[in-house]
């Protein structure tokens, strides 16, 4: 699974804007990597099944599908919970 390219990130731009507004996250490169406290926290991938986001939950990453707006909202809520 490859990291999301420019076209994929263009589709995710509204979500990326919401993530950029969250305190405690630093975007190292557009949509590819967000860091929290100096550690990779979330990033995006694309594959034939669609767009996915990996979110660090403890020591591991959990994968979320982010193709639909409902999936993106679910992912954003998981990010907000992880930041608490």
């Amino acid at each position: 699974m490859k990291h999301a390219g420019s076209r994929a990130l263009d589709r995710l731009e509204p979500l990326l804007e919401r993530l950029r507004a969250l305190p405690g996250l630093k975007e190292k490169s557009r949509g590819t990597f967000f860091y929290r406290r100096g550690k990779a926290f979330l990033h995006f991938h694309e594959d034939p099944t669609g767009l996915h986001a990996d979110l660090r939950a403890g020591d591991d990453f959990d994968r979320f599908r982010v193709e639909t707006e409902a999936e993106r909202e679910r992912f954003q809520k998981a990010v907000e919970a992880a930041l608490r």
Side-chain angles (χ1 to χ4, degrees), residues 39-56:
K39 291 179 79 174
F41 182 67
L42 68 91
H43 54 271
F44 295 92
H45 294 280
E46 58 181 308
D47 72 13
T49 66
L51 297 172
H52 298 82
D54 289 344
L55 173 65
R56 184 181 296 277

Side-chain angles (χ1 to χ4, degrees), residues 16-53:
L16 295 175
E17 288 177 11
R18 294 191 303 266
L19 294 173
R20 289 177 187 126
L22 295 173
L25 291 183
K26 179 173 176 76
E27 186 178 24
K28 293 277 186 166
S29 59
R30 181 182 177 236
T32 307
F33 290 102
F34 282 83
Y35 282 73
R36 179 179 185 219
R37 298 181 186 151
K39 291 179 79 174
F41 182 67
L42 68 91
H43 54 271
F44 295 92
H45 294 280
E46 58 181 308
D47 72 13
T49 66
L51 297 172
H52 298 82

Side-chain angles (χ1 to χ4, degrees), residues 12-23 25 41-42 44 53 55 64-66 68-84:
L12 292 174
E13 191 59 37
L15 172 61
L16 295 175
E17 288 177 11
R18 294 191 303 266
L19 294 173
R20 289 177 187 126
L22 295 173
L25 291 183
F41 182 67
L42 68 91
F44 295 92
L55 173 65
F64 292 80
R65 189 168 186 269
V66 289
T68 68
E69 190 57 37
E71 291 168 339
R72 293 172 191 166
E73 288 175 16
R74 179 177 162 258
F75 172 69
Q76 183 175 346
K77 287 178 183 177
V79 171
E80 291 169 356
L83 288 171
R84 280 188 229 121

